[in-house]
Amino acid sequence: MERAKNKFPFKLAFLTLLAINIIVLIIAFVFVMRFTGPIDEDHLSQSAPVDSEAAFTIETSKSKLNGLIAREIEKQDAGVPYVVELGDELIEFRSEFSILGQRVPLEMHFEPQVRENGDVLLLADHISVGILQLPQDRAMQLIKEYADLPEWVDIYPADRLAHIKVTEIDVDPKIDFRAKAINLPEDEITFEMIVNN
């Protein structure tokens, strides 16, 4: 009998606490419903005009860009090895090819120019093949024929230039790049990354 009497106060206390919690929840629900109005349909819409793309400026240095270029070249399965480096004033291209079983070094220096559309033109400044000075157009023809360059690089031997189509570099379908400025003597290199919606 004493056991039954002892359980009753705990049951009563539990039921009282449960009833208080339910009453508090009902009061809170009524309060929220009464004092908050309906949500306006424009509540979650953009109030400012929305552009279809977002542009971000990327500033880098010659050493960082040289590291990126070297990693990208390593990924390629190039038949003819080559190196591209941004120097103090010019961009250097170094490679080698075989003439009559002899390995002959090829070195070219280019002056970079940024085009309005964000691509980069490399104008041939100095070209040497071993100890010889080949005509620039002939040396560039050798590069075009033997170097396995990325599809976004075009070589125009007659014009003595290389066209780096920065705008066609495919990193992600929603991301585009544009060159903004390349100033090698001042080590100022700026690109723009455009994220399209």
Side-chain angles (χ1 to χ4, degrees):
M1 279 279 231
E2 285 183 28
R3 275 181 145 175
K5 286 182 183 178
N6 287 342
K7 285 186 178 181
F8 183 69
F10 291 114
K11 284 183 181 180
L12 181 63
F14 174 75
L15 292 174
T16 305
L17 185 60
L18 180 63
I20 291 171
N21 283 337
I22 291 172
I23 291 170
V24 168
L25 284 174
I26 291 171
I27 291 171
F29 179 74
V30 169
F31 179 78
V32 168
M33 294 304 290
R34 184 161 190 193
F35 294 108
T36 59
I39 295 177
D40 186 10
E41 288 195 23
D42 293 335
H43 179 69
L44 295 177
S45 64
Q46 290 284 129
S47 57
V50 178
D51 199 345
S52 64
E53 64 181 36
F56 302 92
T57 300
I58 301 169
E59 294 181 359
T60 189
S61 65
K62 290 183 284 192
S63 63
K64 290 178 182 175
L65 194 53
N66 279 338
L68 176 65
I69 292 169
R71 283 192 299 275
E72 289 302 313
I73 290 173
E74 282 178 13
K75 289 180 187 176
Q76 307 246 342
D77 186 22
V80 177
Y82 64 93
V83 174
V84 176
E85 285 184 334
L86 284 72
D88 292 334
E89 294 186 11
L90 299 171
I91 295 176
E92 301 172 18
F93 175 91
R94 295 188 305 274
S95 185
E96 62 181 38
F97 59 96
S98 181
I99 298 179
L100 302 173
Q102 290 289 341
R103 291 170 42 190
V104 179
L106 170 69
E107 187 172 314
M108 304 179 78
H109 296 178
F110 296 94
E111 177 189 340
Q113 289 184 355
V114 176
R115 298 183 68 194
E116 281 187 35
N117 72 341
D119 286 348
V120 176
L121 292 181
L122 300 179
L123 308 174
D125 181 80
H126 172 77
I127 299 174
S128 62
V129 180
I131 58 171
L132 305 173
Q133 293 286 339
L134 272 185
Q136 292 178 348
D137 59 340
R138 183 65 191 129
M140 292 191 74
Q141 185 65 39
L142 288 172
I143 292 174
K144 185 174 182 174
E145 290 175 9
Y146 294 106
D148 187 20
L149 300 172
E151 61 186 21
W152 40 268
V153 176
D154 285 335
I155 304 290
Y156 299 98
D159 298 321
R160 297 187 301 271
L161 66 86
H163 181 194
I164 311 300
K165 297 180 281 189
V166 177
T167 55
E168 294 183 19
I169 295 175
D170 187 21
V171 175
D172 183 284
K174 291 187 176 184
I175 297 176
D176 296 319
F177 289 96
R178 294 182 192 137
K180 298 298 281 180
I182 298 177
N183 184 342
L184 296 180
E186 298 295 323
D187 199 11
E188 296 173 352
I189 301 163
T190 307
F191 291 90
E192 190 174 50
M193 181 177 75
I194 299 96
V195 180
N196 301 297
N197 292 334

